[in-house]
Amino acid sequence: SSNMIPAARSCRLSYMEYKQRKMKMKPNISQLLVKRYFVTDLLVQANKSFDESAPMNLGFEALQIESNVVAPEREGTEWEVTLRLFYQGSTKVNSPYFFRIEVVGLFNVADSYPKQNAEWLIRTNAPSVLYSTARETLRAAMASGPFRALLLPAVSFYTDELKAMINKGK
């Protein structure tokens, strides 16, 4: 019906039902404290051999993501997290852009959070914050280019292996 918003149509919610449900959601404040973040490297290059009439093919496996975490040297200082994304492409891929970005963030963990889980919180959530920043920065830069901007897929940095590795080292 015409009084449904696009996002709610698939759920068959009226605008009022959507608004009521939306208002009931109360997020929790994260135990990860973002002090600041900044872009330290950015390159977006239009692919001159991109064929707009052919299917676009940006394989997620071609996207390289690296995350580096440096623990605080002393109590009360920040964790430093660096996230790098690279996409160089190849002759097999029809992608409008190649890119590279590096984002650095400084984070703290709330005092109320269990100290033994702090590294896990940082390694899973801080890269997610930085990835969102990188994703939007790249999209905005590509929007000024000659082709339609890419929207990188959402990713998760949570893995059971990471938690097991950190727990094993303790």
Side-chain angles (χ1 to χ4, degrees):
S1 77
S2 61
N3 69 338
M4 290 186 160
I5 59 172
R9 280 192 195 120
S10 63
C11 301
R12 299 228 187 268
L13 294 177
S14 70
Y15 176 74
M16 290 306 293
E17 289 170 322
Y18 172 77
K19 191 173 176 181
Q20 287 171 348
R21 286 187 183 185
K22 184 177 175 185
M23 288 181 186
K24 290 180 184 177
M25 185 176 116
K26 183 171 167 70
N28 294 317
I29 299 297
S30 176
Q31 299 294 300
L32 177 69
L33 309 172
V34 182
K35 301 303 280 184
R36 63 184 277 214
Y37 55 84
F38 41 91
V39 175
T40 56
D41 185 29
L42 175 63
L43 171 72
V44 175
Q45 181 179 14
N47 178 3
K48 294 178 180 148
S49 47
F50 174 63
D51 182 357
E52 289 184 85
S53 63
M56 190 166 50
N57 177 13
L58 172 64
F60 183 68
E61 61 280 349
L63 178 63
Q64 298 174 37
I65 302 173
E66 297 175 4
S67 177
N68 185 47
V69 175
V70 177
E73 292 183 13
R74 63 188 189 289
E75 190 73 27
T77 60
E78 294 94 8
W79 293 77
E80 182 179 305
V81 181
T82 302
L83 184 74
R84 292 179 196 88
L85 294 128
F86 304 94
Y87 179 69
Q88 300 305 319
S90 72
T91 56
K92 299 175 188 173
V93 176
N94 187 39
S95 176
Y97 297 98
F98 305 122
F99 55 84
R100 174 183 76 227
I101 188 168
E102 179 179 271
V103 184
V104 176
L106 302 175
F107 299 87
N108 281 337
V109 175
D111 292 337
S112 61
Y113 195 76
K115 297 267 187 252
Q116 69 272 17
N117 293 333
E119 184 177 0
W120 178 81
L121 179 71
I122 290 287
R123 288 186 181 275
T124 57
N125 291 295
S128 296
V129 170
L130 298 179
Y131 182 84
S132 295
T133 300
R135 183 178 178 212
E136 179 56 23
T137 301
L138 287 167
R139 189 210 55 77
M142 290 176 203
S144 297
F147 308 116
R148 187 173 56 115
L150 296 173
L151 182 59
L152 298 180
V155 299
S156 173
F157 291 89
Y158 172 84
T159 64
D160 290 330
E161 294 83 13
L162 176 62
K163 183 145 185 161
M165 176 194 76
I166 291 170
N167 288 339
K168 191 177 189 179
K170 301 278 183 226

